Amino acid sequence: MGRLEGKVALITGGASGIGLSTAKLMAKEGAKVVIGDFNEEGAKQAANEIIADGGEASGIFLDASVQESIKDAIDYTVNKYNSLTILYNNVGLTNLQKDLDVVNIDLDEWDRLMNVNLKSVVVGSRYAIPHMKDAGGGSIINTASMAAFASDSIRSAYGASKAAVVHLTKYIATQYGKDNIRCNGVAPGLILTPAAKNNLSEDLQAEFEKHNALPYHGEPDDIGHAVVFLASDESKFMTGQTLQIEGGHYLANPTTPFFNELAKKNK
Ligand SMILES: NC(=O)c1ccc[n+]([C@@H]2O[C@H](COP(=O)([O-])OP(=O)(O)OC[C@H]3O[C@@H](n4cnc5c(N)ncnc54)[C@H](O)[C@@H]3O)[C@@H](O)[C@H]2O)c1
């Protein structure tokens, strides 16, 4: 029996990257999966791939920046599969051109990123929770980012929105725990999704990898497996937590390479 047998999941932004990988892993574990994405064609294609692999899935249009659209996706899920027990709030946007330092950031972009990255988590959760109560419980999983924990010279809105997602995760966990609704998060480090590969030159990818404690990059399935765990009853005593999945990139004291060099010289 699959680890998610009998569960029904809605995944936002499931047509590519981490969301797509998670949708496939959830379906393999027996969940009925609805993939909601701005890219409707991609969502339908993903669902077809899952069905061809023996799973149960639907692909639908969802715009995470529009409240009604999120509500429609939740209604669709409940009408189609009679319940909703997993919500994976995965959609998130970044913009290297407009989301800059605090003096230069485009404030319209600030609002847009806050709306998509943060408010969509509130909206998805508020519409999902009554259905989870009806089902006797559920699991909400939010995608944060390591940008929630380490700051950067640009991407102020992205980092602030993801830090807020980490804290909101605790609020949801506190408010609905007695309804047997858990809420946890994942904070990925760099994960080589197709979009990330397009955005980062091979040189930059190699530079990132150099700073990982582990000798390789993260892949979408590395996050997907953690989300499956958080969605499953295996994590039934875990709530309000955000798992940092980043290959040890942020583990060492930043001065460690300097002291390693110094130690070499002094040998
Ligand atoms: N890839 C990384 O290195 C990384 C690192 C940290 C955090 N994250 C977070 O992981 C999540 C997924 O990232 P990814 O790298 O897999 O992204 P991705 O770009 O590969 O996929 C995102 C999906 O979301 C969809 N989408 C975008 N805007 C949407 C909207 N308004 N409504 C509905 N769907 C929309 C896209 O069509 C796409 O299918 C995001 O929240 C991101 O911030 C990613």
Side-chain angles (χ1 to χ4, degrees):
M1 186 167 135
R3 295 151 72 206
L4 300 180
E5 212 68 53
K7 298 191 189 288
V8 177
L10 171 64
I11 300 173
T12 70
S16 82
I18 293 169
L20 174 61
S21 159
T22 307
K24 289 183 172 176
L25 291 171
M26 280 188 179
K28 269 201 181 121
E29 292 296 344
K32 292 169 182 156
V33 172
V34 175
I35 298 166
D37 202 290
F38 208 59
N39 171 5
E40 186 176 2
E41 206 176 300
K44 289 192 186 314
Q45 191 186 320
N48 286 338
E49 286 170 21
I50 288 173
I51 292 164
D53 214 26
E56 207 160 338
S58 310
I60 61 168
F61 175 79
L62 179 152
D63 182 350
S65 67
V66 177
Q67 275 192 53
E68 268 312 301
S69 180
I70 297 175
K71 182 177 182 304
D72 287 350
I74 285 168
D75 289 346
Y76 173 92
T77 307
V78 175
N79 288 334
K80 174 100 184 172
Y81 296 118
N82 296 319
S83 81
L84 173 67
T85 45
I86 301 167
L87 172 65
Y88 182 25
N89 289 309
N90 165 67
V91 164
L93 295 180
T94 185
N95 184 332
L96 301 180
Q97 280 73 44
K98 293 184 175 175
D99 181 12
L100 301 172
D101 60 277
V102 164
V103 171
N104 293 299
I105 188 171
D106 175 333
L107 289 177
D108 290 335
E109 191 62 9
W110 171 277
D111 289 342
R112 191 174 82 96
L113 295 188
M114 285 294 166
N115 186 36
V116 173
N117 295 359
L118 177 58
K119 191 170 172 191
S120 72
V121 176
V122 177
V123 173
S125 303
R126 80 147 45 173
Y127 289 124
I129 283 166
H131 297 296
M132 291 182 172
K133 283 186 182 176
D134 288 347
S139 176
I140 298 172
I141 300 120
N142 301 324
T143 301
S145 162
M146 285 309 293
F149 303 101
S151 55
D152 205 342
S153 49
I154 60 166
R155 299 210 301 166
S156 315
Y158 183 77
S161 68
K162 293 298 191 177
V165 166
V166 171
H167 208 53
L168 180 64
T169 297
K170 297 181 191 178
Y171 271 75
I172 297 169
T174 301
Q175 291 166 355
Y176 302 99
K178 292 291 189 213
D179 297 303
N180 195 26
I181 296 170
R182 298 183 297 113
C183 184
N184 291 290
V186 286
L190 176 65
I191 301 296
L192 283 190
T193 57
K197 280 186 192 160
N198 274 343
N199 285 337
L200 289 177
S201 66
E202 293 204 348
D203 284 358
L204 266 179
Q205 290 178 27
E207 190 57 32
F208 264 96
E209 194 195 299
K210 232 168 61 185
H211 292 275
N212 290 349
L214 295 170
Y216 39 80
H217 279 298
E219 295 171 0
D221 275 4
D222 293 321
I223 306 303
H225 286 298
V227 176
V228 166
F229 168 68
L230 293 173
S232 80
D233 296 341
E234 290 164 10
S235 58
K236 75 180 177 50
F237 202 48
M238 252 184 89
T239 196
Q241 307 302 311
T242 294
L243 297 177
Q244 300 183 10
I245 307 165
E246 40 76 276
H249 190 86
Y250 299 83
L251 203 56
N253 186 317
T255 54
T256 299
F258 169 77
F259 283 109
N260 286 345
E261 283 304 310
L262 202 66
K264 262 193 230 159
K265 270 188 208 156
N266 292 340
K267 252 187 190 169

